[in-house]
Amino acid sequence: METKGKQQTRQTKESGAKGRPRGFDADEALERAMLVFWRHGYEGASTAALTRAMGISTTSMYAAFGNKEELFRKVLDRYTEGPSAYMARAMAEPTALAVATAILTGTVRTTTRPAHPHGCLGVQGALSAGDAAQEVRDLLAAWRDNGYTSVRERFERAVADGDLPATTDPALLARYVTTIGYGIAVQAAGGVPRADLQELADAALLNWPPF
């Protein structure tokens, strides 16, 4: 039979095990996972590379974030709210031209930061992934389409407000701007210098609107 003191000790240990906080900073671990996915893409980021960068075990990764696909979904949310947040801020610009300028300038800045991988996680994350990553490819396609939809709706308001000519096709204009942005991201991943990409962004907006 356990003594009262032993019972209290056991209960304290059990309580501590159940209530013990994680031995790592989940926010920091997610940030590091984002950089691995950003640099290597979905399939190129192995579980070993992810856990090594995050500083945790595979068991801890699954417990805190789920499997690799679930981790990637959380990383994409973080990317949207962090490095890619310039898209949401651009929608608040007062004119359609200012919106487009903010999008392209933000793309150039984000995809060429010295301290981050070059390119865009949302563009290159799973472009060449195999069938096993189909859900991730679909996720990123939806992510890009959501960005396009936001720009199109913003340009529709610009037409309604008289900021863009009534003859403007908001859908085509939004596709133009987002396609240029995605192209900039691909070029950045290939090592094209920031100054050259900014010149490209400026040139793309010389004749506004182009359609």
Side-chain angles (χ1 to χ4, degrees):
M1 175 180 287
E2 290 182 327
T3 66
K4 184 176 181 181
K6 287 183 178 180
Q7 288 176 338
Q8 289 177 335
T9 300
R10 176 174 57 79
Q11 290 169 355
T12 298
K13 288 181 178 179
E14 289 175 350
S15 176
K18 292 177 182 177
R20 185 181 298 129
R22 291 193 187 111
F24 64 94
D25 185 326
D27 194 59
E28 177 63 24
L30 195 59
E31 176 75 15
R32 293 178 180 179
M34 180 184 73
L35 296 177
V36 174
F37 279 125
W38 193 349
R39 181 173 290 109
H40 299 290
Y42 179 76
E43 284 196 337
S46 67
T47 299
L50 287 164
T51 54
R52 184 167 56 250
M54 297 163 80
I56 60 177
S57 67
T58 303
T59 300
S60 294
M61 186 191 88
Y62 274 75
F65 304 107
N67 62 23
K68 182 180 174 182
E69 182 181 324
E70 291 168 333
L71 173 63
F72 184 81
R73 290 176 181 274
K74 292 179 174 66
V75 159
L76 186 60
D77 287 341
R78 185 179 185 86
Y79 182 81
T80 302
E81 296 169 1
S84 191
Y86 67 87
M87 281 291 294
R89 292 193 296 268
M91 297 304 106
E93 292 291 340
T95 67
L97 177 56
V99 169
T101 301
I103 289 173
L104 297 187
T105 299
T107 302
V108 171
R109 183 177 62 251
T110 301
T111 59
T112 59
R113 285 179 178 169
H116 286 107
H118 286 186
C120 173
L121 173 65
V123 173
Q124 292 129 261
L127 286 181
S128 59
D131 292 340
Q134 181 62 50
E135 289 191 14
V136 172
R137 290 208 305 269
D138 292 344
L139 172 67
L140 290 179
W143 184 85
R144 294 190 295 270
D145 188 63
N146 183 63
Y148 155 76
T149 299
S150 295
V151 178
R152 187 202 70 215
E153 291 174 347
R154 178 63 182 82
F155 288 169
E156 288 172 347
R157 293 199 302 274
V159 172
D161 294 342
D163 176 44
L164 285 172
T167 55
T168 302
D169 183 339
L172 184 57
L173 187 57
R175 189 67 73 187
Y176 174 79
V177 171
T178 53
T179 298
I180 293 295
Y182 296 148
I184 287 172
V186 172
Q187 292 290 304
V192 177
R194 173 180 288 195
D196 292 355
L197 294 175
Q198 188 59 59
E199 286 184 4
L200 171 63
D202 295 341
L205 301 176
L206 284 177
N207 297 309
W208 182 260
F211 307 111

